[in-house]
Amino acid sequence: MKQKMLKAAALLLTLVAGMAVAVNDVDADLMQRIEESTKNIDSNIALKDGKAALADAREIEEMFAQVELFYKHKGDAVDAIEYARKSRNFATELIRQVTEKDFDNASTTVSALAKSCKTCHQVYKKT
């Protein structure tokens, strides 16, 4: 019983540490991964590669959840929170569209996602 409690405590600490990393780890590397995944999904949708596009969409959705959480904890970034939420919602929509093999509408959604990224970067990206 004691070993189970220790394992559970270790798991909890790992999860909490992971959340702390996610909250403090919105950096250039994450943004670069988002940019690359957005380019990849655009290409995969054009190729009608549903499996690859679905993986990209899920990854994008997860990364924007991290961005949203970061800005919530940072504070004084209401617009950034909204941009991240909007982008995450685009990713969620892409998951649905790709699952339904609706590649035409998915292409439009990817364009909207890219535009949302660009708009946010005009305000928040450090040069």
Side-chain angles (χ1 to χ4, degrees):
M1 180 72 166
K2 191 173 183 179
Q3 253 185 341
K4 286 184 180 180
M5 292 294 287
L6 288 173
K7 286 182 181 180
L11 178 61
L12 181 61
L13 285 173
T14 301
L15 290 172
V16 169
M19 287 296 291
V21 168
V23 168
N24 294 315
D25 199 25
V26 171
D27 58 10
D29 289 339
L30 178 62
M31 290 299 164
Q32 183 64 40
R33 285 180 35 225
I34 291 171
E35 184 177 344
E36 289 169 6
S37 293
T38 302
K39 289 177 184 176
N40 289 342
I41 195 170
D42 190 32
S43 177
N44 288 325
I45 286 170
L47 294 170
K48 298 184 189 242
D49 183 345
K51 184 177 178 181
L54 188 57
D56 292 331
R58 287 181 175 144
E59 183 178 32
I60 292 166
E61 182 182 47
E62 183 179 308
M63 289 186 287
F64 274 114
Q66 288 179 19
V67 173
E68 184 178 348
L69 185 62
F70 169 80
Y71 281 110
K72 281 181 181 178
H73 283 86
K74 180 181 179 197
D76 196 31
V78 176
D79 290 342
I81 294 167
E82 187 54 36
Y83 289 131
R85 182 177 298 130
K86 185 177 178 181
S87 295
R88 185 173 43 85
N89 289 340
F90 284 135
T92 302
E93 184 65 9
L94 283 165
I95 291 169
R96 184 191 65 75
Q97 290 167 333
V98 170
T99 299
E100 294 174 358
K101 299 190 184 322
D102 184 3
F103 295 107
D104 290 337
N105 284 322
S107 182
T108 301
T109 302
V110 168
S111 294
L113 172 62
K115 183 177 179 182
S116 180
C117 290
K118 185 175 183 176
T119 302
C120 184
H121 290 178
Q122 288 173 342
V123 177
Y124 290 97
K125 188 173 181 179
K126 295 176 184 169
T127 56

